[in-house]
Amino acid sequence: MLKLGLIGKGISRSQSARLHVLLGRMCGIDVTYDYLDSEKIADFDLIGQLAACAKAGYAGVNVTHPYKTEARKLIQRRKRLPEALGAVNTVVFREDGWRGDNTDYVGFMRGYRGQFGDQAPGTVLQMGAGGVGLATAFGLHGLGAERILIHDKDADRGHTLVATLKAGGANVAFVTEPELSDAIRDADGLINCTPVGMNQYPGSPIDAALLGGQKWAFDAVYTPVETAFLHSARKAGLSVMTGFELFFFQGIEAFEVFSGAQIDGDAARIEYFNAYPEALTG
C-alpha cells in the first residue's frame, strides 16, 4: 500500500487522486490519495501537518497553493531541484529525512520535450509570475531558452521572479505594459501562467491580433484543455502545448519520486484517457 496525499487550500476539485491511483494500478501498487485541505483542518500549520503525515505512514505528499514557498523553506531539496527555485510541490518522507522536489518544473520540461522535441524555446514571453510561473520559467531556463521575458500585472511580483531567475543564471527581463505588444510579436514562444482562460475566468491573456509570427504556445490552464488563447494560437499557425501536459507529467514525476517506479508516459496517457475521456476536453 502506498499512502499519498495533497496539502493545500480549497483543493476539492483537484484531479491528482485519480491520476496517482491509476498510476499505482499500472504498477501493481495499491494507492490511497487523501485531500488534506487546510480550510477543513483546525489550527492548521504546514510543518505540523507534514509531521502528522509522516507519522501516519504516508510515503509522501504533494503540496499546492498557497504552501509551496513555505514548504521549500522547511524541506531539504532533492539534488535535481535548482537552488534558486524557491518552491516545493512534492515532499517524500524517508528514514534519513524529508526531501522536497518541484515536479511542476521537471514536468513542464518533460511535457515540452514530448510535444516539441529538441526545438529550442528561443525567446519566450511569459504572462504570469505566480507559483506555476516560477516553475515554468525555471523549466525554460533548463531547456536552454535564449531569453525569458516576464510580464505580470503585479509588477513587484514580476520583478521578484526576474531577480530569482537571474540568481539561477537565466537571461531574463521584466516587460512593462507599454512594452508588452512588441514583446509578444517578437517572441518565439508564448506562455500563459495566469488564471485567464479557466472556466471561471473566460477570455485570453493575449490579443489574437498579436499572434502569427511566433513558433509555439503553452497554456498552463487545463480546465478547459482547449482555451481561447490556444485556439487563437492554433488558428495563427503556432504549435501548441496544453495545460494537461503539465498536469499529467508533473503527476507522473511526483509518482516516480514517491514510489521509485518508472512510468511509460505513452501507456499512462492511453490508460488515463480510457478511464477519463472527459479529460480530453476539460
Side-chain angles (χ1 to χ4, degrees):
M1 174 68 71
L2 192 67
K3 191 172 184 178
L4 306 174
L6 173 65
I7 296 174
K9 184 177 181 179
I11 54 177
S12 61
R13 297 180 66 182
S14 169
Q15 298 175 20
S16 294
R18 69 186 193 182
L19 176 58
H20 283 272
V21 170
L22 181 144
L23 294 175
R25 190 182 311 129
M26 288 180 61
C27 298
I29 302 171
D30 289 330
V31 172
T32 62
Y33 194 99
D34 302 319
Y35 291 138
L36 305 164
D37 193 330
S38 61
E39 291 183 338
K40 301 177 181 179
I41 298 173
D43 301 321
F44 176 88
D45 75 279
L46 182 59
I47 189 67
Q49 186 61 61
L50 289 169
C53 288
K55 186 177 180 180
Y58 284 77
V61 293
N62 291 125
V63 178
T64 191
H65 178 80
Y67 303 112
K68 294 179 184 181
T69 301
E70 184 181 355
R72 175 65 182 86
K73 295 174 182 176
L74 297 171
I75 307 297
Q76 182 178 343
R77 68 184 175 92
R78 296 183 77 223
K79 289 181 179 179
R80 70 175 180 177
L81 191 64
E83 178 69 35
L85 206 172
V88 156
N89 78 331
T90 300
V91 178
V92 60
F93 305 119
R94 297 284 189 257
E95 290 184 1
D96 62 346
W98 304 351
R99 297 290 183 272
D101 207 335
N102 190 312
T103 63
D104 288 332
Y105 156 67
V106 288
F108 170 73
M109 291 194 290
R110 188 165 170 178
Y112 179 95
R113 292 189 183 109
Q115 197 72 22
F116 303 126
D118 294 331
Q119 173 184 315
T123 296
V124 184
L125 184 284
Q126 177 174 296
M127 303 287 289
V132 69
L134 172 67
T136 56
F138 267 90
L140 287 170
H141 180 48
L143 289 164
E146 180 180 344
R147 187 163 172 77
I148 303 168
L149 303 174
I150 303 293
H151 177 76
D152 196 290
K153 293 186 181 300
D154 183 337
D156 288 342
R157 184 167 68 172
H159 283 295
T160 296
L161 176 55
V162 167
T164 301
L165 287 163
K166 283 183 177 178
N171 180 11
V172 58
F174 182 75
V175 174
T176 65
E177 195 71 34
E179 299 169 325
L180 185 57
S181 292
D182 285 341
I184 291 170
R185 290 191 185 97
D186 294 341
D188 298 299
L190 300 172
I191 290 182
N192 175 38
C193 287
T194 78
V196 178
M198 295 175 66
N199 287 326
Q200 59 268 48
Y201 302 108
S204 174
I206 294 177
D207 187 343
L210 300 175
L211 301 175
Q214 306 85 4
K215 296 177 181 177
W216 64 273
F218 165 67
D219 199 332
V221 171
Y222 68 93
T223 51
V225 173
E226 184 71 7
T227 61
F229 167 49
L230 290 187
H231 177 76
S232 297
R234 289 184 197 274
K235 192 173 180 180
L238 281 66
S239 300
V240 305
M241 173 176 157
T242 72
F244 176 82
E245 301 302 310
L246 176 57
F247 161 75
F248 183 67
F249 283 112
Q250 67 79 25
I252 286 178
E253 289 283 341
F255 186 82
E256 289 179 342
V257 169
F258 293 143
S259 67
Q262 292 295 308
I263 301 296
D264 182 326
D266 292 336
R269 184 184 299 273
I270 292 170
E271 291 284 342
Y272 191 86
F273 286 143
N274 282 341
Y276 306 107
E278 69 277 11
L280 287 163
T281 60

